[in-house]
Amino acid sequence: MAPLMSHSVSPLAPKTYAELPPLWGVRLATAQAGIRYKDRTDVLYVTFPHGAAVAGVLTRSKCPSAPVDWCRTQLPGGTAQALVVNSGNANAFTGMRGAAAVKLTAEIAAQAAGCSPDRVFLASTGVIGEPLDATRFEGVLTECEAHADGEFPWLDAAKAIMTTDTFPKVATRTARLGDVEVTINGIAKGAGMIAPDMATMLAFVFTDAPIMAPALQPLLKRGADRSFNCITVDGDTSTSDTLLIFATGGAGLAGAPTIDKADDRRLAPFRKALDELLVDLAQQVVRDGEGARKFVTVQVSGATTARSAQRVAMSIANSPLVKTAIAGEDANWGRVVMAVGKAGEPADRDRLAIWFGDIRVAVDGARDPAYDEATTSAYMKNEAITLRVDLGLGKGKATAWTCDLTKGYVEINGDYRS
């Protein structure tokens, strides 16, 4: 495990980073293109010399970025040869200039990787509304191709895609596919504008498993619904949310079976490992929430359906009043009641029970008779807080993850374009 960087990071950051191993058929490089930042890497280039199956889930924002539109067009092809990610400029709300920029970027990358542009996938993150000068990639991507390496540090790849992030987000898992062990590596970025509606801000997953795109797509969608679609920092869905998975098939050389259907029973261990990796990355995004000081788990049970429970959980997790109460270490269960009531889902005030950690603060529509203010206040000082709500109506349950809302969030976003 690698130690964290020396500069100031979120107090909720992991104490160590996972060490991601090399993957057959994946070569990485980073570069400084000067898109917005000075003296730091702002481009990630990944190439798949033997090709890779690809699947993805993208933002459902009605104002998507130009790279999202590009990926949406290329995903049905199911094959990738290169990935280019830039930070500092989202290339969103940039009109025809944005579309021209992604086309030029794909052409430059395709020339570097020796493939057709429709096998290049793109993602951008940063300021919205600023035109992206794609000519900055000229020469840079060719240089990246020349130096791309399977041994390149994944942590450095994750750093290149950061914007307001205070730490890079990485995760790795292994699983059995047939009689062969396969590896899954993932990187992500995100700290603000976090309320994913399909994916996350940017997340990229890579595996050597020989899984074809028709099987990867439902696997990824299922995993996103249980991870990235269960987190929120500020309730705002990005124009650029992109989650992509690339499978090089390298483990097939060692005898791993080729999988082309998501319901193949042999996929069960891989599915479990992928879900765990996606939850790991999603929780790291929340832990890096802008200005965050507390990591919050919201558990809802007793709903009429799982979908209803999820909506109630996200109503609680997205509530500014709930989040500011947690920031102030105030066990204000009345705000939780408010968030349950406004969710628009079936609820019965007189069956409702609420816990802060293991402390039941409300039951049967009123304050718990055994409620103790001092004990609950002491719990609220913890770095990790769990809110539990039981609606008493059915068997539906769900979990969401969020963070507190502090003055730091306002300061960061008030100065974002400065």
Side-chain angles (χ1 to χ4, degrees), residues 64-118:
S65 69
V68 165
D69 285 340
W70 176 269
C71 288
R72 186 169 283 128
T73 299
Q74 310 313 327
L75 276 171
T79 304
Q81 195 98 19
L83 167 69
V84 177
V85 187
N86 75 267
S87 58
N89 185 313
N91 194 11
F93 204 67
T94 46
M96 296 302 294
R97 292 179 66 180
V102 295
K103 182 175 183 294
L104 179 56
T105 304
E107 290 172 349
I108 295 171
Q111 184 174 12
C115 65
S116 59
D118 62 357

Side-chain angles (χ1 to χ4, degrees), residues 262-283:
D263 59 0
D264 192 313
R265 293 183 179 180
R266 293 172 294 182
L267 269 180
F270 182 90
R271 182 184 297 110
K272 181 175 183 291
L274 176 62
D275 287 353
E276 289 179 355
L277 179 138
L278 295 176
V279 168
D280 188 345
L281 289 175
Q283 290 187 352

Side-chain angles (χ1 to χ4, degrees), residues 37-61:
Y37 306 115
K38 294 182 179 180
D39 301 321
R40 58 152 285 187
T41 56
D42 57 3
V43 175
L44 168 64
Y45 175 83
V46 185
T47 182
F48 312 102
H50 308 284
V54 61
V57 288
L58 305 165
T59 184
R60 286 195 291 235
S61 168

Side-chain angles (χ1 to χ4, degrees), residues 104 108 133-143:
L104 179 56
I108 295 171
D133 180 7
T135 62
R136 289 185 176 273
F137 295 114
E138 293 178 344
V140 171
L141 298 186
T142 301
E143 187 71 13

Side-chain angles (χ1 to χ4, degrees), residues 3 5 92 99 109 120 125 133 157-158 179 188 201 206 210 252 302 313 323 386:
M5 294 179 296
V120 174
T125 179
D133 180 7
D179 295 325
M201 295 44 58
F206 309 84
K323 290 156 68 71
T386 297

Side-chain angles (χ1 to χ4, degrees), residues 131-276:
L132 174 63
D133 180 7
T135 62
R136 289 185 176 273
F137 295 114
E138 293 178 344
V140 171
L141 298 186
T142 301
E143 187 71 13
C144 283
E145 172 63 29
H147 292 92
D149 189 353
E151 300 287 337
F152 188 87
W154 290 88
L155 198 62
D156 288 347
K159 291 176 183 177
I161 64 175
M162 291 167 50
T163 51
T164 60
D165 307 58
T166 69
F167 64 89
K169 296 146 187 77
V170 297
T172 186
R173 295 291 188 279
T174 58
R176 304 294 295 184
L177 190 57
D179 295 325
V180 178
E181 184 175 84
V182 300
T183 300
I184 313 170
N185 287 346
I187 64 174
K189 67 81 52 186
M193 201 181 290
I194 308 296
D197 186 13
M198 281 300 295
T200 185
M201 295 44 58
L202 296 183
F204 308 102
V205 180
F206 309 84
T207 180
D208 56 0
I211 304 175
M212 300 296 100
L216 281 176
Q217 188 62 46
L219 281 176
L220 191 65
K221 175 62 169 65
R222 173 185 182 271
D225 284 343
R226 298 180 176 204
S227 57
F228 292 120
N229 283 344
C230 295
I231 65 171
T232 179
V233 167
D234 48 24
D236 287 333
T237 297
S238 171
T239 59
S240 305
D241 287 351
T242 299
L243 168 60
L244 299 174
I245 185 169
F246 302 90
T248 67
L253 300 175
T258 298
I259 307 294
D260 57 11
K261 294 182 180 179
D263 59 0
D264 192 313
R265 293 183 179 180
R266 293 172 294 182
L267 269 180
F270 182 90
R271 182 184 297 110
K272 181 175 183 291
L274 176 62
D275 287 353
E276 289 179 355

